[in-house]
């Protein structure tokens, strides 16, 4: 059965955070890469904030090692909060308290690094038979007015189909992404007819790349459970999504409005830091001057 309108309501999100963070070693030796800050906010907090603004109340974080930093970050830090208040640092104390009340966080351990599809499948019991969002911490979508994942949630709630965020990537970059192909239908979105994870050079069916935002119907659970290892020997989310194509749910690619940053890459991470810093009134002018000074 297709998900009923109640099952389609998206209240829960999965954030896979079990990667080794190899691209940011040694910074990620003792903390997960999701805790690396963009200015002064951990990337995972920005991602969770996007989900919360889109109506998500429960977040399932799939953890590997070093999970405590994430759990602690979204929990109360009574001593810190009290000490800040005792010292009259009200603004800082409020910021710390606000993080601990943002969301209900469930932590699930991925015991083996078997791939993104497997990581999402680890959330099955915690999510149950309802539609849910998946947000990858490497991708930041900056949109204050209309959170990226909320744009996908709208498409899902209207159609019952799965929805993935897509961007057109420059020629030659297709091998770094899951690539989709399809046709626009009356919704204005791409009804996906084909998809492939990390296609070899010259074999991509288009330049439409999946960026790390998904809204999935509960039918995905059985597809994930039966997906065999694919690209890189890993159980790929893209391969499970492929099974939605032509099913009664179907799958849409949605060009999400917002500024996208690939914070999983060193240059992308630095760009994200500068971009978010330039949005802060107290930092903007100083950061501009700094960029000019360093560029000389
Ligand atoms: C993952 C997905 C891929 C997607 C990408 C977006 O790959 O498997 O389909 O295009 O995220 O960031 P990863 O970057 O984890 O290798």
């Amino acid at each position: 059965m297709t998900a009923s309108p109640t099952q389609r309501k998206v209240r829960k999100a999965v954030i896979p955070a079990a990667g080794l963070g190899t691209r940011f070693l040694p910074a990620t030796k003792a903390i997960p890469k999701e805790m690396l800050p963009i200015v002064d906010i951990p990337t995972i907090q920005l991602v969770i904030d996007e989900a919360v603004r889109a109506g998500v109340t429960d977040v399932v974080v799939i953890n590997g090692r070093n999970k405590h930093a994430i759990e602690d970050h979204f929990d109360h830090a009574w001593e810190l909060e009290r000490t800040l208040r005792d010292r009259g640092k009200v603004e800082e104390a409020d910021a710390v308290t606000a993080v601990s009340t943002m969301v209900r966080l469930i932590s699930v351990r991925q015991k083996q690094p078997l791939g993104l599809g497997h990581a999402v499948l680890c959330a099955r019991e915690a999510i149950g038979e309802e539609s849910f969002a998946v947000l990858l911490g490497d991708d930041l979508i900056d949109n204050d007015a209309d959170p990226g994942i909320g744009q996908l949630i709208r498409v899902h709630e209207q159609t019952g189909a799965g929805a993935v965020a897509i961007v057109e990537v420059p020629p030659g970059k297709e091998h770094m992404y899951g690539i989709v192909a399809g046709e626009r239908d009356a919704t204005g979105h791409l009804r996906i007819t084909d998809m492939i994870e990390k296609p070899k050079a010259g074999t991509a069916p288009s330049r439409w790349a999946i960026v790390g935002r998904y809204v999935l119907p509960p039918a995905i659970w059985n597809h994930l459970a039966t997906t065999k290892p694919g690209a890189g020997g890993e159980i790929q989310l893209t391969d499970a999504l492929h099974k939605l194509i032509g099913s009664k749910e179907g799958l849409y690619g949605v060009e999400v409005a917002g500024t996208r940053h690939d914070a999983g890459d060193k240059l992308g991470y630095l760009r994200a830091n500068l971009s978010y810093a330039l949005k802060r009134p107290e930092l903007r002018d100083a950061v501009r001057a700094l960029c000019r000074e360093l560029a000389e």
Side-chain angles (χ1 to χ4, degrees):
M1 272 203 0
T2 332
S4 69
T6 330
Q7 285 172 314
R8 279 185 205 172
K9 190 112 194 70
V10 176
R11 301 175 301 133
K12 298 181 182 173
V14 179
I15 301 187
L20 293 179
T22 43
R23 279 191 276 184
F24 285 94
L25 283 169
T28 49
K29 184 179 172 194
I31 54 160
K33 69 173 169 187
E34 289 74 13
M35 288 301 294
L36 294 178
I38 303 295
V39 189
D40 48 12
I41 299 178
T43 48
I44 192 168
Q45 186 181 328
L46 288 175
V47 171
I48 290 183
D49 180 63
E50 174 188 335
V52 168
R53 286 187 289 122
V56 166
T57 53
D58 295 54
V59 169
V60 182
V61 176
I62 310 300
N63 286 294
R65 41 182 212 113
N66 298 329
K67 64 173 189 163
H68 296 292
I70 296 178
E71 285 181 1
D72 289 349
H73 185 71
F74 292 95
D75 195 0
H76 279 288
W78 298 113
E79 285 174 15
L80 176 62
E81 287 168 44
R82 176 161 318 149
T83 308
L84 289 171
R85 289 192 200 285
D86 286 350
R87 293 185 184 169
K89 294 193 175 294
V90 179
E91 224 176 280
E92 290 84 346
D94 286 348
V96 169
T97 309
V99 183
S100 53
T101 55
M102 273 176 94
V103 83
R104 258 194 304 271
L105 193 115
I106 299 171
S107 195
V108 175
R109 190 90 170 197
Q110 184 187 21
K111 293 186 180 162
Q112 289 170 285
L114 297 180
L116 180 59
H118 176 258
V120 174
L121 184 58
C122 290
R124 183 174 194 166
E125 277 182 33
I127 301 277
E129 290 303 303
E130 58 183 274
S131 301
F132 62 99
V134 177
L135 300 96
L136 306 188
D138 282 351
D139 289 298
L140 295 175
I141 297 173
D142 188 9
N143 186 330
D144 291 333
D146 191 8
I149 196 68
Q151 300 173 42
L152 297 188
I153 291 174
R154 284 202 295 276
V155 173
H156 173 70
E157 290 182 350
Q158 281 158 15
T159 63
V164 300
I166 53 171
V167 296
E168 197 165 28
V169 292
K173 297 277 183 201
E174 299 92 332
H175 66 283
M176 298 166 69
Y177 297 92
I179 299 289
V180 304
E183 283 156 24
R184 277 188 207 280
D185 71 6
T187 64
H189 304 299
L190 204 70
R191 181 163 270 279
I192 296 176
T193 53
D194 193 12
M195 63 198 305
I196 175 167
E197 178 68 14
K198 314 232 164 74
K200 296 208 164 48
T203 66
S206 81
R207 288 198 279 118
W208 289 111
I210 304 175
V211 285
R213 299 291 183 274
Y214 310 76
V215 173
L216 302 174
I220 200 67
W221 295 127
N222 285 338
H223 297 325
L224 281 168
T226 54
T227 295
K228 304 257 176 317
E234 298 192 336
I235 297 173
Q236 296 291 351
L237 180 57
T238 303
D239 295 341
L241 291 173
H242 197 284
K243 300 178 189 177
L244 286 177
I245 300 172
S247 73
K248 53 190 167 315
E249 287 86 10
L251 185 64
Y252 277 110
V254 179
E255 275 178 277
V256 166
T259 308
R260 183 211 160 217
H261 300 284
D262 178 5
D265 164 84
K266 285 192 185 73
L267 205 60
Y269 175 73
L270 292 173
R271 178 178 181 265
N273 267 288
L274 287 174
S275 171
Y276 278 86
L278 287 167
K279 285 175 56 180
R280 300 264 283 259
E282 77 280 15
L283 291 175
R284 189 185 303 131
D285 292 342
V287 172
R288 277 202 186 131
L290 191 67
C291 288
R292 275 194 297 271
E293 179 199 324
L294 292 175
E296 275 161 17

